Amino acid sequence: MKNIFFCFVFFTFPLLSVIAQQDTSKVTKGRAVQRPKDFQFEIQNVAFKGNKFFGDDELFTVIDSRNTDLGFFQYLIRYYGERVKRNHAAPKELRRAFDNVVRDLQGEIQYFNQEIANRDARAVEQLYNKSGFHWTEVTYKYGRDSISLIKTLTFEVAEGDQALLDTVVYAGVDSLPEPVLKEVLKTKTYTPGNIYSEEEIQKNINAAFTILQDSGYYYAKFAQPFVTVLSETKSDSVFTQFTPGKRQRISQIILTDSLNDQSAVSLDMRRLQLEFHEGEWYNRAAIQQSIKNLYELTTFDVVSIDTIGDGDNSDTTISLEVLLRYRKQNELNPAVVLNRTTIDNFVNAGVDLTYTNRNIFGAAQNLTLFLRPQFLDLSRIATNKVKDYDWELQTGLQYSQPYIFNWLNARWSYSFNYLFSYRYLVRPLQLRTHYIRPATFTAQFAKPIPIFGVLDNTFNTGVTRFFKGLDVYDQLILDGSIESQKPVRYDSTERKYRSNLLKPEEERAVVENLYIYKQLNDYPYFWSSFILSTTFIGDRRNDFFVPSNGFYSTIAVDWGTFLSKFTRGQFLLTYFHPTFNKFVFAYKGRLGKILWRDSRGSSYVPFERHFFAGGSNSVRGWPSRELRAPLPSDTTQLNNELRILQDITGSATLIEGSFEARYSFGKQKTYFLSSIVSEMGMVAFGDFGNTFNRLTPDGYEQATFKDYFNPSKLGWAAGLGLRYNTPVGPLRLDVATRLYDPAIQSPNFKHIQVHVGLGHAF
């Protein structure tokens, strides 16, 4: 024990002496006594005082002064490195090693610099000035804090008054045509009486400039706004000079191909992607949309549209060149893949062999052939025996025409899909699927459309205004599919699970969970399903892989016939909101319902349309597909091999919700792990949900509407996770526990569930 105490004192006392060493230098407010380099003053903390309008985090973004931020072991290395260097009796190899380490650490130590501090004080004043605080004064002082004994650089802010906006003048626009002038003046949404904000003023000016460029004024310019500060009235007057120039029509459009030994897309298809035409006024927005349209054909590597000097130009006309550089049209890509399925919440790994032709018939048609064997549900593989591994083999083709026509203010595309799947459901039962989607039509709307128009001004509350803001959908998908599903080794599966039955309820469990597969096995025809689907998608996320703002929403309805007699609806909403200090709050809500026609007759619901809960993208306190409202026979199944049968039969009702607080470490100071740590993040999360109305004859009628929103009928889970960003999304590791288990009607903290995945949970 004495040795342990000695070691503790030996290592920690020098560390404390480094952190809290006394500083005998004299530093006055705004002025430092100059010392030789060996006596530079280290900054151990940077603080702000007197700031109310801006928080500390916002002020830190505009200054260059930083405090030394070394870890525990880095402080120890620096302390002992300095002492080894002074000890001439120390071995040369040891001194050389410490010299190298200390030299690397030296770049991370931050010193007080009067010139930088002066510049930082002016930068803070400028930030305040942009928000109307023209009379703000910022001073600084450096010294040891009398309480914490930490050497601190403190910026003291005297904010003063904030100016109001008095007048806003757009000069040089009076000669514009009346329709254009009217649109330009509409951009002055920031009006007298508002608190002055340079950012909002600039937004208005940029909007006016955009109107000019979209109305033919290619040579339009504007000077930076001139602000007059009226000290007597504490107000500002803003004057902006516009120079529209002459209005330009498009006289000539030249399409230039850089083929790179690839076959050309037909001229008609290329011209159909252009939103502007000869004889029309120049329109920058139409040009940007045209570039987007051409990229969406997936045939071009580079698309640019610019003016040409030697074209058919005059003082009122302009010529444009559309330059298209072709990408490689035939590619064969083998790859190791990690993906997830949205139906059963699996994270899967496998290999993928894909052949792609991006211009097979000369009009940018795409043909893709693929072969994809994969292991299903990595989380289950990590915890189960080898014999329980599930796998699936997929192969098929997709043919698509990225553009067919414009209709209802939308661009429409077409695709054809064929998929063959062979997968294990439960040993020895397998499912063979032929899936043909002969016609999928996708509409990309130029202007988002609302679906829930009932949320009108009659219910103008904060909640309805929030949801009305989410009621915008950019994409519509209409498709019909025909499926053939057939169980393989059904008879041997039924014999296996009937062979060791001891109780009547076990007999019932086997019949219940194999019911829909028996319907398929007895069905005499090849095609088992014909399904029509409609899906609306609204996407306002600022990033596909790591969103920090915006939302994503889907509404989907499926209707099936033949043997699959069902109607299925699903709603998904995810919302992302940035907060303070690198935190993002993320929310998810998901609702689903299946109406099963003829649930006690000859009918079934295709496996891919079942609702499951639990897993890495669902309620994370449970393994994938294992969270469901219990049936009377489940008590027996939980204690024997029959339990696995429950995983192949989903439910007709789904309720899910999640909350995540996401923290990103962000850019780090330079040290040997900084590049890794800067890509990492942490997540604290809470999940809830359950599935009801098992897709069995008795289970389908088990739950009532009251059960769906009864907190005691839902599973509740919470946990922590790690994230590491990659080019294809964050790798994640989540650890969750059950706050409340509806199956046992109590907490279950001993049950720890680990999930691995690619991409955020939502």
Side-chain angles (χ1 to χ4, degrees):
M1 183 64 70
K2 291 182 179 179
N3 291 336
I4 296 175
F5 177 76
F6 172 77
C7 292
F8 175 79
V9 174
F10 178 77
F11 281 103
T12 58
F13 180 76
L15 174 64
L16 295 175
S17 68
V18 171
I19 297 176
Q21 58 183 300
Q22 297 295 320
D23 180 17
T24 58
S25 60
K26 296 181 179 179
V27 182
T28 58
K29 186 175 182 180
R31 181 168 57 91
V33 178
Q34 298 300 313
R35 295 289 184 88
K37 186 175 181 180
D38 290 343
F39 292 93
Q40 287 180 308
F41 307 129
E42 182 178 349
I43 302 176
Q44 295 178 328
N45 184 42
V46 178
F48 297 92
K49 288 185 178 181
N51 53 305
K52 298 178 181 178
F53 188 80
F54 292 108
D56 289 359
D57 289 341
E58 294 173 283
L59 298 183
F60 267 116
T61 62
V62 300
I63 67 171
D64 294 323
S65 296
R66 290 292 183 270
N67 59 287
T68 299
D69 187 18
L70 298 180
F72 178 84
F73 292 103
Q74 291 171 305
Y75 271 114
L76 283 180
I77 290 172
R78 185 175 69 161
Y79 177 82
Y80 286 109
E82 292 173 350
R83 276 141 186 82
V84 168
K85 182 178 180 180
R86 298 172 187 173
N87 184 359
H88 298 289
K92 291 183 179 180
E93 293 77 7
L94 181 62
R95 295 175 62 185
R96 188 179 302 113
F98 268 106
D99 281 345
N100 293 334
V101 175
V102 172
R103 190 179 304 113
D104 292 339
L105 290 177
Q106 199 70 21
E108 300 182 33
I109 300 173
Q110 304 294 321
Y111 296 103
F112 173 75
N113 184 298
Q114 186 175 0
E115 181 180 347
I116 295 176
N118 283 327
R119 189 168 64 237
D120 289 343
R122 304 293 78 77
V124 173
E125 289 178 352
Q126 184 61 30
L127 178 65
Y128 271 93
N129 184 65
K130 291 179 179 179
S131 293
F133 291 91
H134 306 304
W135 302 274
T136 297
E137 293 184 0
V138 179
T139 57
Y140 64 88
K141 63 180 180 180
Y142 171 84
R144 188 183 303 281
D145 186 274
S146 59
I147 299 175
S148 65
L149 301 181
I150 293 176
K151 303 172 190 176
T152 302
L153 173 61
T154 303
F155 291 93
E156 297 182 340
V157 181
E159 291 184 338
D161 296 323
Q162 187 175 21
L164 298 178
L165 197 60
D166 181 65
T167 56
V168 179
V169 177
Y170 286 178
V173 298
D174 294 340
S175 61
L176 295 173
E178 184 64 27
V180 179
L181 177 61
K182 186 176 180 180
E183 292 299 316
V184 168
L185 295 180
K186 280 183 181 179
T187 64
K188 291 202 295 184
T189 60
Y190 205 62
T191 57
N194 293 121
I195 294 174
Y196 175 82
S197 169
E198 181 179 299
E199 180 181 1
E200 295 299 326
I201 289 291
Q202 194 63 52
K203 285 181 181 179
N204 282 190
I205 294 172
N206 291 341
F209 177 69
T210 298
I211 294 295
L212 291 175
Q213 290 231 306
D214 292 346
S215 302
Y217 293 93
Y218 174 77
Y219 296 104
K221 300 177 183 178
F222 67 89
Q224 287 301 312
F226 180 77
V227 181
T228 301
V229 180
L230 307 174
S231 301
E232 298 81 5
T233 59
K234 303 294 183 182
S235 60
D236 293 331
S237 179
V238 181
F239 176 90
T240 305
Q241 178 69 50
F242 285 90
T243 307
K246 290 187 177 180
R247 203 174 187 185
Q248 307 291 313
R249 288 189 183 273
I250 300 172
S251 61
Q252 186 180 20
I253 301 173
I254 300 174
L255 276 73
T256 303
D257 291 325
S258 176
L259 293 174
N260 294 328
D261 297 325
Q262 309 301 310
S263 57
V265 175
S266 67
L267 180 61
D268 287 343
M269 178 57 68
R270 284 176 284 161
R271 285 193 174 275
L272 283 172
Q273 310 314 307
L274 302 182
E275 302 286 343
F276 56 92
H277 305 90
E278 294 176 354
E280 296 179 348
W281 296 116
Y282 173 85
N283 188 315
R284 186 179 64 174
I287 290 175
Q288 294 300 320
Q289 183 61 46
S290 300
I291 293 174
K292 179 183 177 183
N293 294 345
L294 287 162
Y295 271 123
E296 287 178 351
L297 295 182
T298 74
T299 310
F300 306 113
D301 187 12
V302 174
V303 177
S304 67
I305 301 178
D306 206 349
T307 60
I308 48 177
D310 56 352
D312 185 15
N313 298 324
S314 69
D315 60 345
T316 58
T317 61
I318 196 170
S319 298
L320 298 176
E321 180 183 33
V322 181
L323 176 63
L324 305 171
R325 191 176 78 186
Y326 285 65
R327 65 187 298 186
K328 189 176 181 180
Q329 292 174 5
N330 289 280
E331 287 187 340
L332 182 64
N333 294 316
V336 177
V337 296
L338 185 69
N339 60 36
R340 71 181 189 183
T341 52
T342 57
I343 300 298
D344 43 24
N345 303 314
F346 281 178
V347 176
N348 316 307
V351 295
D352 187 284
L353 182 63
T354 304
Y355 165 75
T356 302
N357 187 316
R358 296 186 177 88
N359 190 24
I360 187 169
F361 298 126
Q365 299 97 336
N366 282 252
L367 176 66
T368 300
L369 306 174
F370 62 89
L371 177 66
R372 188 177 301 132
Q374 57 186 346
F375 288 105
L376 304 178
D377 194 3
L378 294 184
S379 295
R380 179 169 293 187
I381 289 176
T383 57
N384 283 11
K385 298 179 180 179
V386 175
K387 69 177 183 179
D388 292 330
Y389 284 9
D390 291 338
W391 58 268
E392 180 180 16
L393 173 66
Q394 292 183 356
T395 185
L397 65 88
Q398 177 177 348
Y399 169 82
S400 63
Q401 175 66 66
Y403 174 80
I404 48 176
F405 51 71
N406 273 44
W407 184 49
L408 298 178
N409 200 28
R411 288 172 53 86
W412 291 78
S413 61
Y414 165 83
S415 66
F416 167 89
N417 291 270
Y418 168 74
L419 171 70
F420 172 77
S421 167
Y422 193 93
R423 69 177 292 173
Y424 268 101
L425 294 177
V426 59
R427 297 295 189 271
L429 183 63
Q430 299 142 48
L431 188 64
R432 183 180 61 224
T433 302
H434 293 271
Y435 175 89
I436 298 177
R437 189 183 290 172
T440 298
F441 295 95
T442 302
Q444 193 73 39
F445 294 99
K447 293 183 179 180
I449 60 173
I451 303 298
F452 301 106
V454 295
L455 296 175
D456 57 18
N457 292 329
T458 306
F459 306 98
N460 193 21
T461 66
V463 175
T464 55
R465 284 195 297 271
F466 171 77
F467 281 103
K468 285 171 67 176
L470 306 179
D471 186 26
V472 287
Y473 293 88
D474 315 284
Q475 196 175 44
L476 168 64
I477 302 175
L478 302 172
D479 67 63
S481 63
I482 186 168
E483 298 180 9
S484 169
Q485 287 195 321
K486 202 71 175 177
V488 179
R489 298 181 182 175
Y490 173 81
D491 293 334
S492 59
T493 301
E494 186 174 342
R495 285 195 302 271
K496 171 185 175 181
Y497 288 101
R498 285 178 178 271
S499 61
N500 297 316
L501 299 182
L502 301 176
K503 302 177 182 179
E505 58 264 31
E506 293 180 342
E507 171 79 16
R508 178 185 173 189
V510 172
V511 173
E512 283 278 304
N513 288 290
L514 291 178
Y515 176 82
I516 62 174
Y517 301 99
K518 180 173 176 56
Q519 304 305 308
L520 275 175
N521 189 64
D522 295 342
Y523 190 63
Y525 304 106
F526 182 77
W527 297 109
S528 55
S529 303
F530 176 71
I531 302 172
L532 296 175
S533 300
T534 301
T535 304
F536 288 93
I537 299 175
D539 194 349
R540 289 292 183 278
R541 295 171 295 181
N542 62 342
D543 187 271
F544 181 79
F545 292 119
V546 189
S548 60
N549 200 359
F551 67 90
Y552 177 83
S553 178
T554 62
I555 301 173
V557 178
D558 304 324
W559 179 84
T561 187
F562 293 1
L563 184 63
S564 61
K565 300 172 183 178
F566 74 98
T567 302
R568 178 181 186 265
Q570 183 177 199
F571 174 74
L572 170 68
L573 173 65
T574 59
Y575 181 75
F576 309 93
H577 178 64
T579 55
F580 54 90
N581 196 24
K582 303 178 184 177
F583 272 99
V584 173
F585 287 166
Y587 311 86
K588 179 190 77 172
R590 186 180 175 208
L591 302 173
K593 183 65 178 178
I594 296 174
L595 302 178
W596 187 12
R597 307 189 301 275
D598 197 14
S599 61
R600 293 186 178 273
S602 296
S603 69
Y604 92 115
V605 178
F607 176 78
E608 293 79 8
R609 262 74 176 184
H610 294 196
F611 289 122
F612 295 97
S616 64
N617 303 110
S618 180
V619 185
R620 281 162 279 188
W622 281 259
S624 57
R625 300 194 298 189
E626 290 193 11
L627 175 58
R628 50 189 165 265
L631 298 179
S633 58
D634 287 349
T635 303
T636 301
Q637 295 178 47
L638 289 173
N639 298 318
N640 57 51
E641 195 176 21
L642 293 178
R643 180 188 59 79
I644 195 68
L645 285 180
Q646 299 173 95
D647 295 348
I648 65 173
T649 302
S651 300
T653 306
L654 169 71
I655 296 175
E656 273 186 5
S658 293
F659 163 80
E660 287 192 350
R662 302 173 180 174
Y663 178 77
S664 174
F665 294 138
K667 188 175 181 180
Q668 301 293 305
K669 297 179 184 296
T670 303
Y671 59 94
F672 73 104
L673 290 178
S674 60
S675 60
I676 296 176
V677 175
S678 62
E679 299 296 338
M680 296 181 66
M682 296 184 65
V683 170
F685 60 85
D687 303 324
F688 68 90
N690 209 341
T691 56
F692 303 88
N693 306 109
R694 202 87 54 86
L695 290 169
T696 66
D698 290 338
Y700 179 70
E701 301 173 355
Q702 189 73 23
T704 65
F705 184 80
K706 291 182 179 180
D707 294 327
Y708 303 158
F709 300 98
N710 184 344
S712 66
K713 300 290 186 179
L714 303 177
W716 300 80
L720 299 173
L722 290 176
R723 303 289 184 267
Y724 182 78
N725 292 327
T726 72
V728 293
L731 291 173
R732 61 187 173 94
L733 173 68
D734 289 333
V735 180
T737 187
R738 300 177 185 178
L739 301 180
Y740 178 80
D741 188 339
I744 61 176
Q745 297 184 356
S746 68
N748 192 358
F749 298 119
K750 294 182 179 180
H751 190 104
I752 303 298
Q753 191 67 38
V754 179
H755 297 283
V756 294
L758 176 65
H760 282 293
F762 56 91

